[in-house]
Amino acid sequence: MQTQTIDFHPPAEEAAPILLPVTATLFADRADRFASLATGHSLGDWLEFLGQLSRAQHQALKTLPALPLPDAATLEQARTHGMPPLNIVRRPAAWRNVLHQIARELGKTAPDGARLALDALLAADDAWLDKLADTLLSGELEAGDAAELPFIAAALQVVFTKLASQLDASQLQKLDAYGICPCCGSPAVASVVRLGAAINNLRYLHCSLCNTEWNVPRATCTACDTDKEVALHEVDGSKGAVRAETCDACKSYLKIVYQEKDPRVDPVADDLATLALDMLVDEAGYERSGPNLLLIGAYSG
């Protein structure tokens, strides 16, 4: 494992502090990235299946109508008190319809293990589905529900991505905690150093749930905010498109992906295609600071 210390001077001016998800392309691009990463990969079958899942998310999002947002008073209260405007506990009932749509679509080609979980979800009542959603979002996981959780996550991602896309980015503000999404309050899955005229070389954290991104300083721990004991690590022989940023102050880490190295990188897909890097930094004593919701209980064989 290669380790690189960080010496970086951020841009003098901050541009586009919050990037809302682009619903027309987000899940389709992710599906394509999974398919590309699957080729020749030791986990190729699993990554290919996650590409199919992302494609089903794209189809579900295309047909999902506009969802009701919090009222003006709630939005103003969130701004005043530095809170995320979307409440993950009060989920739109539409998320269960999205889940059913994804399950029916995937069930046509899913491997046997995944198909059993999808059939169980299609047969489940609303109370059990909501319990699974609460379990996933609270992080208090139960082993018996593991197989269903990635599909619960996929449906919730669709609904909260839709909600986030309907917000006005100019009315949002970053939260005091770097690693928490300013839209829904969920932790980041990874960060991405982006290309683009207005955002070139800026780092954005990517929400694990609603796919919103928010600008954060580079060379700064996104868990404890320190800039003193941060380093980058990569697997020997890799091209450096995906690295793990570790912090010796709080012993946490999170992946960081670089569009300069590969313009097609995706914070979710590339994170799951580089589990060997997680194993290396885990063995070195660091704990991941944000989840990949598609990994929780995920079917891999």
Side-chain angles (χ1 to χ4, degrees):
M1 179 171 63
Q2 299 174 354
T3 302
Q4 173 188 349
T5 56
I6 301 174
D7 181 14
F8 178 80
H9 300 284
E13 295 183 4
E14 183 182 49
I18 295 174
L19 303 176
L20 297 179
V22 180
T23 58
T25 57
L26 187 146
F27 289 115
D29 289 346
R30 184 167 295 161
D32 291 342
R33 183 59 173 170
F34 270 124
S36 175
L37 291 168
T39 303
H41 199 288
S42 60
L43 297 175
D45 289 345
W46 178 52
L47 295 174
E48 183 69 33
F49 179 64
L50 290 177
Q52 296 171 18
L53 175 58
S54 298
R55 188 71 62 186
Q57 288 179 291
H58 173 68
Q59 294 300 326
L61 185 55
K62 279 176 58 177
T63 59
L64 185 63
L67 298 171
L69 289 172
D71 59 30
T74 301
L75 294 174
E76 181 58 33
Q77 182 182 41
R79 284 192 293 270
T80 300
H81 296 284
M83 300 162 51
L86 302 180
N87 187 335
I88 62 174
V89 176
R90 297 178 181 176
R91 299 176 290 271
W95 86 268
R96 293 189 293 269
N97 296 330
V98 169
L99 175 64
H100 291 153
Q101 182 176 343
I102 290 173
R104 286 192 294 268
E105 179 66 24
L106 280 181
K108 302 172 185 176
T109 58
D112 290 343
R115 188 178 296 114
L116 289 174
L118 293 167
D119 289 344
L121 291 170
L122 286 170
D125 59 25
D126 290 352
W128 189 58
L129 294 180
D130 281 323
K131 177 180 178 293
L132 288 176
D134 290 337
T135 294
L136 178 81
L137 296 176
S138 69
E140 298 176 359
L141 307 180
E142 300 176 17
D145 299 328
E148 287 81 17
L149 292 180
F151 308 114
I152 297 291
L156 292 172
Q157 285 174 340
V158 169
V159 168
F160 278 94
T161 297
K162 180 71 171 183
L163 286 168
S165 73
Q166 295 174 205
L167 293 169
D168 181 350
S170 68
Q171 299 298 310
L172 299 172
Q173 58 187 354
K174 292 188 291 182
L175 306 183
D176 290 338
Y178 277 156
I180 300 301
C181 176
C183 281
C184 71
S186 297
V189 61
S191 64
V192 53
V193 178
R194 292 222 166 262
L195 295 175
I199 57 176
N200 197 51
N201 215 31
L202 294 178
R203 176 166 75 148
Y204 288 82
L205 281 169
H206 190 98
C207 179
S208 58
L209 181 64
C210 75
N211 289 289
T212 294
E213 294 187 355
W214 59 104
N215 180 227
V216 295
R218 291 174 66 172
T220 301
C221 175
T222 58
C224 72
D225 300 351
T226 186
D227 59 359
K228 303 299 183 184
E229 301 182 69
V230 181
L232 294 173
H233 310 262
E234 61 186 278
V235 175
D236 292 340
S238 71
K239 298 179 180 179
V242 184
R243 296 171 177 170
E245 184 179 71
T246 61
C247 175
D248 283 336
C250 67
K251 304 303 289 186
S252 74
Y253 80 93
L254 202 65
K255 301 270 188 67
I256 179 170
V257 302
Y258 297 82
Q259 285 192 325
E260 182 182 20
K261 300 289 186 180
D262 187 338
R264 302 168 301 162
V265 290
D266 178 89
V268 173
D270 282 80
D271 174 45
L272 293 176
T274 54
L275 296 182
L277 181 54
D278 291 88
M279 294 174 64
L280 288 172
V281 290
D282 284 344
E283 290 172 359
Y286 300 97
E287 183 175 352
R288 185 172 170 130
S289 62
N292 191 316
L293 297 180
L294 297 184
L295 181 62
I296 297 173
Y299 172 80
S300 58

